[in-house]
């Protein structure tokens, strides 16, 4: 029995539906953020990802000198 959707499945659907609505200047940043999120959460089921998981990951990105604007 399937536990729901994998994060990567939903992020792919989101990207397909959203890419054309994002300005060309912003697409690179969104694509980077999607790829980083997929690296971290891609193989997890969405319902298993907690707010703490996301907060911890955003803190990790910030601690590694990624711009706060990029991580939110």
């Amino acid at each position: 029995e399937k536990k729901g959707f994998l994060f990567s499945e939903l992020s792919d659907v989101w990207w397909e539906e959203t890419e054309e609505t994002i300005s060309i200047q912003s697409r690179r940043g969104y694509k980077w953020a999607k790829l980083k999120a997929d690296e971290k959460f891609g193989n997890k089921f969405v319902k298993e990802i907690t707010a703490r998981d996301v907060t911890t990951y955003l803190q990790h990105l910030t601690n590694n000198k990624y711009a706060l604007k990029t991580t939110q």
Side-chain angles (χ1 to χ4, degrees), residues 11-34:
S11 74
D12 288 344
V13 169
W14 172 83
W15 184 253
E16 289 171 15
E17 293 180 358
T18 308
E19 180 181 12
E20 294 300 316
T21 68
I22 301 170
S23 72
I24 297 210
Q25 297 85 350
S26 297
R27 278 187 203 164
R28 182 175 175 200
Y30 277 90
K31 183 70 171 178
W32 177 88
K34 179 196 174 308

Side-chain angles (χ1 to χ4, degrees), residues 41-64:
F41 299 113
N43 293 325
K44 286 189 164 191
F45 289 100
V46 172
K47 66 182 181 181
E48 295 176 346
I49 300 170
T50 66
R52 184 180 199 140
D53 293 334
V54 174
T55 300
T56 300
Y57 184 60
L58 291 175
Q59 189 63 51
H60 164 77
L61 291 176
T62 302
N63 290 345
N64 285 289

